Amino acid sequence: MEQKRDLEGVLLIDKPKGMTSHDVVDQVRRKLRMKRIGHAGTLDPMATGLLIILVGKATKLSQFLTSLDKTYSGTIKLGESTNTQDADGEITTTKPVPELTQLQAQFAMSDFVGDQYQTPPMFSAVKIKGQRLYKLARKGQEVEREPRFIRVSKFEITRFDLPEIDFTLDCSKGTYVRTLANDFGEKLGCGAHLTALRRDASNEFDTSRAIPLDEFKEIEISEIEKRLIPAHEAMPNNQL
């Protein structure tokens, strides 16, 4: 068994579907036998892709790395809305999908590009008066939420096969992609929900440099150490 080392730096993990971000952090803690492990930006259990893991003293970078812009790809299904705005929820409404061309759908999608305020969904980890919204939502409660400022730089169709639409998205931190999917469906008048989501990049970090979690659990600590990005390199604009 390899001896415990005091590791420090940023580790890029490719999160599989069905796990929470906290589940991944726990796996890293067990593998490295370290308690001081964090992450810079939550992914929903349904989502896959880039999860920035902070190891040791690099946890102090959390506020800087969480604020980075994100790139996602995913799939929206038109005609069905769910209570969670994604495929993990229960279908609440079903409506016929209108006859659309890709150009018409892209035109509607372009309305979501730019600076805007977005209301967090009830099924989210946002706290109001000390309570997580998803806990209230599970009880059937809905409370008023404060809209939050977000910026969408790109929202484009990459595959058009109704009722499914694949997309790519560039956005600021705090953007709920499933809420964009839901609101896009509302704009089209038929409802929609997110059926797949992958975080491809966070600023200059991308999945091409990330270790799939299954692979991470099998490789040697010495190899993980080589894959750690030093804190001073991971800082945005290389500024400490």
Side-chain angles (χ1 to χ4, degrees):
M1 183 181 292
E2 294 182 79
Q3 290 194 341
K4 177 182 175 182
R5 308 184 189 194
D6 291 326
L7 301 179
E8 175 186 331
V10 172
L11 187 64
L12 306 182
I13 295 290
D14 193 335
K15 186 186 94 64
K17 185 177 180 179
M19 297 183 71
T20 68
S21 300
H22 186 70
D23 289 337
V24 177
V25 168
D26 280 346
Q27 295 268 9
V28 176
R29 281 179 179 148
R30 285 197 289 272
K31 176 72 175 183
L32 301 184
R33 287 177 284 157
M34 293 177 62
K35 290 185 177 180
R36 198 174 180 185
I37 306 287
H39 68 77
T42 301
L43 279 174
D44 286 342
M46 188 189 80
T48 67
L50 184 68
L51 193 63
I52 299 177
I53 300 294
L54 309 174
V55 179
K57 293 179 181 178
T59 52
K60 65 185 179 182
L61 302 183
S62 177
Q63 60 178 318
F64 304 106
L65 299 185
T66 303
S67 66
L68 299 177
D69 288 348
K70 315 291 192 298
T71 297
Y72 295 95
S73 55
T75 302
I76 297 169
K77 183 178 182 181
L78 302 181
E80 295 175 349
S81 300
T82 73
N83 60 345
T84 60
Q85 302 179 343
D86 63 19
D88 283 343
E90 299 176 0
I91 296 174
T92 54
T93 60
T94 302
K95 295 181 181 179
V97 178
E99 292 186 8
L100 288 170
T101 65
Q102 181 170 337
L103 186 61
Q104 288 171 326
Q106 183 60 68
F107 185 75
M109 191 174 273
S110 66
D111 280 353
F112 295 93
V113 175
D115 295 350
Q116 58 201 275
Y117 284 89
Q118 184 186 66
T119 301
M122 277 302 300
F123 280 91
S124 66
V126 173
K127 278 187 177 181
I128 290 184
K129 296 181 180 178
Q131 294 192 73
R132 300 284 186 186
L133 285 178
Y134 68 82
K135 292 185 177 180
L136 298 175
R138 287 171 181 167
K139 297 176 183 177
Q141 300 178 30
E142 183 162 351
V143 297
E144 188 173 347
R145 286 97 69 201
E146 184 94 17
R148 298 182 171 191
F149 176 82
I150 64 166
R151 174 178 290 118
V152 174
S153 304
K154 182 174 76 172
F155 194 17
E156 296 179 355
I157 295 172
T158 57
R159 181 180 69 95
F160 188 74
D161 186 17
L162 295 180
E164 291 187 342
I165 293 176
D166 288 357
F167 65 89
T168 183
L169 171 75
D170 291 343
C171 59
S172 63
K173 72 165 186 174
T175 301
Y176 284 94
V177 185
R178 51 197 165 97
T179 298
L180 283 177
N182 177 83
D183 294 349
F184 173 62
E186 291 297 314
K187 185 170 184 62
L188 294 176
C190 59
H193 68 279
L194 193 68
T195 60
L197 183 66
R198 181 167 178 79
R199 183 187 289 160
D200 299 305
S202 186
N203 211 8
E204 76 270 21
F205 305 114
D206 62 54
T207 50
S208 69
R209 302 167 63 189
I211 309 171
L213 185 62
D214 285 346
E215 179 183 327
F216 168 81
K217 290 187 287 187
E218 300 300 325
I219 62 178
E220 300 293 326
I221 299 295
S222 57
E223 178 60 27
I224 294 171
E225 191 170 18
K226 293 176 185 176
R227 302 290 289 271
L228 283 170
I229 302 169
H232 70 276
E233 291 182 15
M235 276 290 290
N237 301 319
N238 290 335
Q239 294 178 359
L240 287 173

